[in-house]
Amino acid sequence: MATKVFIVDDHYMVVEGIRSLLQHEIAVEWTGHATTAASCMAFLHQQQPDVILMDINLPDKSGIDLCKEVKERYPSIFIV
């Protein structure tokens, strides 16, 4: 079973760079990305990845604060 990965970063080139590195990995399934904390939480309300790759500098909230919120609501998700 593939590990589901979600990216939270407001820089398009970073998201695309990580996605391009992961797209050929058999054991990784890219589930999407968010550019804000609000869009991340909206996504997580619908589905949960196994791992989130998170930027700590987001336009609407600190990634550190978002990490705490995600871990409180979805403790099984790993965050890098």
Side-chain angles (χ1 to χ4, degrees):
M1 179 165 36
T3 300
K4 295 183 233 172
V5 176
F6 185 72
I7 302 170
V8 181
D9 198 303
D10 60 327
H11 295 94
Y12 175 77
M13 294 299 290
V14 172
V15 172
E16 285 302 307
I18 293 170
R19 187 188 65 76
S20 70
L21 288 171
L22 298 178
Q23 71 183 354
H24 300 294
E25 295 296 324
I26 296 169
V28 175
E29 177 186 342
W30 184 65
T31 60
H33 75 280
T35 58
T36 64
S39 59
C40 172
M41 293 309 292
F43 176 86
L44 295 178
H45 183 70
Q46 300 299 316
Q47 60 179 303
Q48 290 81 51
D50 299 312
V51 177
I52 297 176
L53 302 177
M54 186 179 303
D55 185 6
I56 61 168
N57 296 314
L58 298 171
D60 60 340
K61 183 181 239 181
S62 161
I64 294 168
D65 292 338
L66 177 59
C67 181
K68 291 175 188 175
E69 185 177 349
V70 170
K71 290 306 283 181
E72 286 174 4
R73 292 186 187 188
Y74 309 99
S76 65
I77 296 175
F78 292 96
I79 302 173
V80 178

